[in-house]
Amino acid sequence: MVKTPIKVIVRTRPTVEFAYKNININENTGHIAINIPKSAEQGFVNHQQEDWGFTFDKVLQNASQEVVFDICGKELIHSALGGYSGTIMAYGQTGAGKTFTMMGSQIDYKYRGMMPRCISLLFQEIEARYEQQITVGVSYLEIYNEMMYDLLAGGDQNTGLAIQEDNNGYVQVKGLTIKKCQTEEDAIAQLFEGETNRTISEHKLNKASSRSHCVFTVHLEIRSRVESAEKVIISKLNLVDLAGSERTKKTGSEGRTLLEAQFINKSLSFLEQVVVALSEKQRDHIPYRQSKLTNLLKDSIGGNSKTVMIANIWPEKNQLEETISTLKFAQRMMKVTNESSIRVNLDPQVLIKKYEKEIKDLRQELAMHDTLANRGRIQYEPYTPEQQYKQQQIAQQFLNGELEDIDIDSLRQVKELFFQFRNLYRNLVKDLENKNYVPRAEKEPDVSKKKSDQVKTVDPVGYEENKNGFGLGKARKDAKPTTNIENLVNIPKDEFKQLDEKTQQEIRKESQITEPNKESTIEKRIVNVDKQQAFTDFKNKEGSSINQQILENINQLKEKKDSIISLSEVSIQLKSKIEKKKGVIEQKQLNKNQEEIAQGIIDEEEYLTLKELKELKKELKQNQENIKNLKSEIILIDQTIIQSKQALVQKFEEHFLKKYGLTLQDINNPLVNQKEEEYSINDPSEQDDVDQDALAYIRAKNKVTQLQKARKQEKMHK
């Protein structure tokens, strides 16, 4: 068990109105100093506090998403794969950038947040660990107005969710959906799917304010391919995006938004009470059960987890009070210590197989021991029916006095003999009881009773067999009624048989009735519609502007990739020149004596060579920076092309639906979807230049977007 204090990182929101006169940040020492001058309106006697000082593990000012992830996320990913559960939580006032830190921007891959970056790194590490078998599952939970919602559930989101603790004290949510993910794309798609179901609202400080606390959890089951397979290491990574605390006077919340703010502030107050209680060493009771949020985060705060808290602040003059409140809470959080340990479970199925093998080995060992002890071949398997009958005969002979002694071979035989003695005794008692017993059926019936007085017994439901009446259970194969053609055409059976064979065939052909088939209906409706031509006409007319934009973006994409190829060739040439210059300098060093080397004396030729080498390195660095920028531009252009394609296809779907009156299933026909391939780049070598890490992110986003469009159109048709 490892005791680890909660790590607190402060991240500032970038702003042009930074309060330099009031806030002083030292990133090297992690210290933040805040000064609020006393107000003259308070009078001469004014005890208002002017200065505050806070020190944290790290302060990030104007830091990129990548830097934040490197400091806060990478270590916890490796710990989770090592068996230690982890938590990353974003805390702060509304509008301070918590959701951007955790989720990032879904439009630009460069600005993706902590959640997708953790998923990407996790699957990269899993692929590199060949000696382990790692199963990944994800869940997404929302706490909205003290009600829990499953964001990955397909139907009703608020059914049967309850926070529980298992026998070992670990917190789990009963009824929460856990989706198994085989690839990075699957996990990110589930993240986007849950993100679309979150509750957001608008107020004065934030146009897209999160109105709920959300917890995205990655569940890991780690098995070794080398050591014992029954040992399963269980760990999880909680990525928590807390709703922001807000002052309703500043946000201007009213009605439903005001009610949401009250629930948010109340739950965050309970969270602060838990943190205060944990920071007090003499405190016995920790009020985890005051709210669902604190109960859910019991493992993360003061429990079995390695936790990192990102405190987001808004360093403007108008937000100084909220900034101080956030920093005070963050400083209290640093006093909380977690005791993290590796959670190990045993797989029961693997254990059963292991025990079966051990039993088999032990029986073989016993057999060898019996052979060495001249005890013959003693069986340790259960008795067969023939062997049981033989032991029964021995027991009967012993009771009858025919046998004076019984040869005992094993404990197994002793148990079987006792069992047979008990059976013989029971049979004897039963025979004695039945000697004076007259069965009811053998009694003669009373003929004097009238027929009407006799009670007719009815078999209870479920005892009737081989009857053709009503019953419960699986229907017989012959229970389905046959369909006769004479019934379909309303012709009596006798008259239908009297018709000639040709007339019967014509009636069958005209009266053939089949259940409506959706696919056949679609084929009849689109048989006269050339979708390829319809899509081409649409691109040239209604969709010409979008089509032209796509073609221009593709040309730009090709130009950028050609530029990368030319710059790569220049980089190769520069590297070759650098190596040559290094070789010249090394040769010069070899030709020097010890005195020249000690004094650091260089001649004019060596000086010029070093100067040229420095210029070449500078040029190479600038060239590589240009390549990096071009790749970023390529990703943006590629995303623009994808979005334009989707817009064009969507408009074509609406046009096609309006013109031909086809259903959503008709539009999703592969004949229509194939039109998008006309814009694809045919050269496979060009696709290799795209960042492979971004492909899973982009594909998952497109997959969820298309799914949402399909659901929206289905609702419209209904």
Side-chain angles (χ1 to χ4, degrees):
M1 188 172 290
V2 181
K3 288 189 176 182
T4 54
I6 292 179
K7 187 177 180 181
V8 177
I9 312 295
V10 177
R11 186 185 189 186
T12 64
R13 170 178 170 166
T15 175
V16 294
E17 299 179 0
F18 190 92
Y20 292 102
K21 294 182 179 180
N22 305 98
I23 302 176
N24 183 20
I25 297 176
N26 190 333
E27 293 190 53
N28 296 327
T29 60
H31 183 75
I32 299 177
I34 298 179
N35 173 263
I36 301 179
K38 291 183 179 181
S39 175
E41 298 176 357
Q42 300 294 330
F44 182 76
V45 180
N46 188 353
H47 299 288
Q48 176 186 343
Q49 185 176 351
E50 291 185 274
D51 299 308
W52 289 265
F54 306 93
T55 302
F56 302 99
D57 296 304
K58 189 72 177 176
V59 178
L60 302 175
Q61 185 177 6
N62 299 331
S64 65
Q65 295 281 66
E66 185 176 0
V67 172
V68 175
F69 172 70
D70 290 341
I71 295 175
C72 304
K74 279 189 175 180
E75 182 182 351
L76 290 186
I77 294 294
H78 293 97
S79 296
L81 291 171
Y84 293 97
S85 296
T87 300
I88 303 174
M89 114 179 28
Y91 177 88
Q93 73 172 104
T94 181
K98 300 180 298 302
T99 302
F100 180 78
T101 299
M102 298 304 297
M103 188 64 198
S105 172
Q106 298 185 24
I107 300 175
D108 193 347
Y109 172 76
K110 181 180 178 181
Y111 298 112
R112 68 197 188 281
M114 189 72 63
M115 293 179 181
R117 289 177 186 270
C118 285
I119 292 172
S120 179
L121 179 61
L122 177 68
F123 278 92
Q124 290 177 17
E125 291 292 327
I126 289 174
E127 290 178 0
R129 298 181 180 232
Y130 302 103
E131 73 282 359
Q132 291 178 331
Q133 178 186 352
I134 302 176
T135 304
V136 181
V138 298
S139 62
Y140 209 166
L141 178 68
E142 178 185 48
I143 301 177
Y144 173 70
N145 291 355
E146 279 301 300
M147 299 289 290
M148 294 190 297
Y149 293 86
D150 187 352
L151 297 181
L152 299 184
D156 188 6
Q157 299 175 330
N158 191 25
T159 55
L161 295 182
I163 300 174
Q164 296 179 340
E165 290 186 16
D166 59 13
N167 297 330
N168 298 320
Y170 296 105
V171 175
Q172 57 188 6
V173 181
K174 180 183 177 183
L176 184 63
T177 303
I178 300 178
K179 299 279 189 178
K180 298 296 181 182
C181 300
Q182 301 294 333
T183 62
E184 175 188 348
E185 182 180 344
D186 294 341
I188 294 179
Q190 296 298 333
L191 173 63
F192 287 145
E193 175 72 15
E195 194 68 19
T196 57
N197 296 326
R198 286 190 63 175
T199 305
I200 60 174
S201 183
E202 180 180 355
H203 54 69
K204 291 181 180 179
L205 297 181
N206 193 351
K207 291 184 178 180
S209 175
S210 301
R211 312 308 294 166
S212 61
H213 309 295
C214 288
V215 182
F216 182 81
T217 306
V218 181
H219 305 266
L220 300 177
E221 293 183 3
I222 306 169
R223 293 176 173 84
S224 175
R225 301 181 190 271
V226 181
E227 300 175 358
S228 57
E230 73 274 5
K231 181 181 176 183
V232 183
I233 298 176
I234 307 295
S235 66
K236 63 181 180 180
L237 180 64
N238 294 320
L239 303 171
V240 186
D241 181 15
L242 297 175
S245 60
E246 57 185 75
R247 298 194 177 187
T248 54
K249 290 183 179 180
K250 289 187 176 182
T251 59
S253 301
E254 296 178 352
R256 179 181 175 184
T257 309
L258 178 61
L259 179 63
E260 293 169 347
Q262 291 173 353
F263 275 104
I264 291 170
N265 291 336
K266 184 178 180 181
S267 61
L268 292 176
S269 298
F270 288 142
L271 178 63
E272 187 169 2
Q273 290 178 19
V274 169
V275 172
V276 171
L278 288 169
S279 60
E280 297 175 359
K281 295 182 180 180
Q282 305 298 328
R283 190 72 172 264
D284 294 331
H285 174 67
I286 309 298
Y288 284 113
R289 296 183 180 273
Q290 288 189 120
S291 70
K292 288 184 172 61
L293 177 64
T294 53
N295 200 6
L296 183 65
L297 297 179
K298 183 178 179 180
D299 288 343
S300 304
I301 305 174
N304 181 24
S305 175
K306 292 185 176 181
T307 302
V308 174
M309 191 188 90
I310 304 174
N312 296 85
I313 61 173
W314 196 345
E316 292 185 1
K317 188 174 182 180
N318 295 333
Q319 312 296 335
L320 286 177
E321 293 181 0
E322 289 81 0
T323 298
I324 293 173
S325 177
T326 300
L327 295 178
K328 284 182 178 179
F329 177 81
Q331 200 168 49
R332 292 191 192 100
M333 186 70 81
M334 293 182 67
K335 298 179 182 179
V336 179
T337 302
N338 292 347
E339 295 183 356
S340 53
S341 60
I342 298 177
R343 178 183 174 186
V344 181
N345 288 352
L346 298 177
D347 192 334
Q349 295 182 351
V350 179
L351 279 176
I352 288 172
K353 292 181 180 179
K354 178 183 177 182
Y355 293 153
E356 287 177 348
K357 186 177 182 301
E358 288 183 359
I359 291 170
K360 183 179 178 182
D361 294 341
L362 289 172
R363 283 175 176 168
Q364 291 179 352
E365 188 175 346
L366 280 173
M368 293 176 62
H369 181 270
D370 293 335
T371 303
L372 294 174
N374 295 324
R375 296 181 62 190
R377 185 66 178 173
I378 298 177
Q379 298 290 333
Y380 294 97
E381 298 290 339
Y383 275 101
T384 62
E386 292 80 6
Q387 292 173 332
Q388 289 178 347
Y389 179 70
K390 184 177 179 181
Q391 295 301 320
Q392 183 182 1
Q393 289 181 328
I394 293 173
Q396 186 67 50
Q397 293 174 1
F398 180 78
L399 291 174
N400 294 337
E402 298 176 9
L403 286 178
E404 294 295 332
D405 194 10
I406 300 176
D407 296 330
I408 302 298
D409 294 331
S410 63
L411 180 63
R412 169 172 164 264
Q413 184 186 8
V414 173
K415 291 182 178 180
E416 184 62 31
L417 283 172
F418 275 109
F419 178 74
Q420 295 300 334
F421 284 140
R422 185 179 64 183
N423 286 344
L424 291 172
Y425 171 75
R426 287 179 176 176
N427 292 334
L428 180 61
V429 172
K430 190 175 181 180
D431 291 341
L432 292 173
E433 289 178 352
N434 292 338
K435 275 188 177 181
N436 299 324
Y437 177 75
V438 180
R440 218 172 187 187
E442 295 177 4
K443 292 182 180 180
E444 296 181 1
D446 191 358
V447 187
S448 61
K449 287 187 178 182
K450 293 182 180 180
K451 219 173 193 183
S452 59
D453 296 336
Q454 294 180 1
V455 180
K456 184 179 179 181
T457 59
V458 181
D459 292 335
V461 176
Y463 285 87
E464 186 173 357
E465 296 181 358
N466 299 325
K467 301 292 179 73
N468 295 326
F470 176 82
L472 297 176
K474 188 175 180 181
R476 303 187 309 277
K477 294 182 178 180
D478 58 346
K480 184 177 179 181
T482 57
T483 304
N484 297 324
I485 189 64
E486 51 268 28
N487 295 333
L488 295 175
V489 297
N490 296 323
I491 297 177
K493 187 174 181 180
D494 297 336
E495 295 182 12
F496 182 80
K497 289 182 178 180
Q498 292 176 4
L499 297 174
D500 59 310
E501 185 177 351
K502 185 178 180 180
T503 307
Q504 290 182 12
Q505 291 179 356
E506 291 178 357
I507 292 174
R508 286 193 178 96
K509 186 176 181 180
E510 293 176 359
S511 305
Q512 184 177 3
I513 298 174
T514 58
E515 185 179 353
N517 191 334
K518 201 170 188 180
E519 295 180 1
S520 62
T521 306
I522 293 170
E523 291 174 1
K524 290 178 183 178
R525 293 171 64 184
I526 66 173
V527 68
N528 296 323
V529 180
D530 187 354
K531 295 186 178 180
Q532 178 74 33
Q533 186 61 38
F535 188 70
T536 304
D537 295 341
F538 177 79
K539 286 193 301 180
N540 297 331
K541 295 179 182 178
E542 292 86 349
S544 59
S545 59
I546 301 178
N547 184 41
Q548 185 63 31
Q549 182 183 357
I550 293 173
L551 296 175
E552 291 176 359
N553 288 332
I554 290 175
N555 292 332
Q556 291 181 12
L557 191 65
K558 290 182 178 180
E559 291 176 2
K560 299 290 184 185
K561 291 184 177 180
D562 292 339
S563 300
I564 288 179
I565 293 172
S566 60
L567 289 174
S568 300
E569 293 176 354
V570 173
S571 296
I572 293 172
Q573 295 174 2
L574 290 173
K575 289 179 181 178
S576 177
K577 292 180 181 179
I578 289 172
E579 292 299 325
K580 289 181 181 180
K581 296 296 181 183
K582 286 182 177 179
V584 173
I585 294 172
E586 289 176 359
Q587 189 63 38
K588 286 280 186 181
Q589 294 291 332
L590 292 174
N591 295 334
K592 290 182 180 180
N593 54 39
Q594 294 293 331
E595 184 178 354
E596 290 176 337
I597 294 174
Q599 294 178 359
I601 300 174
I602 59 173
D603 56 14
E604 185 177 356
E605 183 181 358
E606 186 177 357
Y607 172 76
L608 293 174
T609 305
L610 287 171
K611 187 177 180 181
E612 291 175 359
L613 179 62
K614 185 177 180 180
E615 293 295 330
L616 287 171
K617 287 183 176 180
K618 185 178 179 181
E619 186 178 354
L620 177 62
K621 184 178 180 181
Q622 182 62 41
N623 198 62
Q624 291 176 342
E625 187 68 25
N626 293 336
I627 292 175
K628 185 178 179 181
N629 294 334
L630 284 172
K631 286 185 176 181
S632 300
E633 293 176 5
I634 285 173
I635 292 173
L636 292 175
I637 295 172
D638 191 48
Q639 291 178 350
T640 305
I641 291 173
I642 292 172
Q643 293 172 0
S644 300
K645 288 178 185 178
Q646 292 174 352
L648 182 63
V649 173
Q650 182 181 2
K651 288 186 178 296
F652 172 68
E653 289 173 355
E654 295 172 355
H655 166 77
F656 204 64
L657 176 65
K658 184 177 179 181
K659 187 173 182 179
Y660 299 103
L662 298 179
T663 61
L664 177 65
Q665 287 77 6
D666 302 333
I667 296 173
N668 286 337
N669 191 289
L671 292 173
V672 176
N673 293 333
Q674 286 176 358
K675 309 303 180 296
E676 193 175 351
E677 298 177 0
E678 295 181 12
Y679 300 104
S680 60
I681 300 173
N682 296 324
D683 187 4
S685 62
E686 295 182 359
Q687 298 179 359
D688 296 336
D689 295 331
V690 182
D691 191 355
Q692 295 298 321
D693 293 339
L695 290 178
Y697 183 89
I698 296 171
R699 284 198 298 261
K701 178 60 179 173
N702 293 337
K703 181 179 178 182
V704 174
T705 303
Q706 292 173 3
L707 183 61
Q708 290 171 355
K709 289 180 180 178
R711 289 174 178 171
K712 186 176 180 181
Q713 291 183 3
E714 282 180 353
K715 289 180 179 179
M716 290 173 60
H717 290 300
K718 288 180 179 179

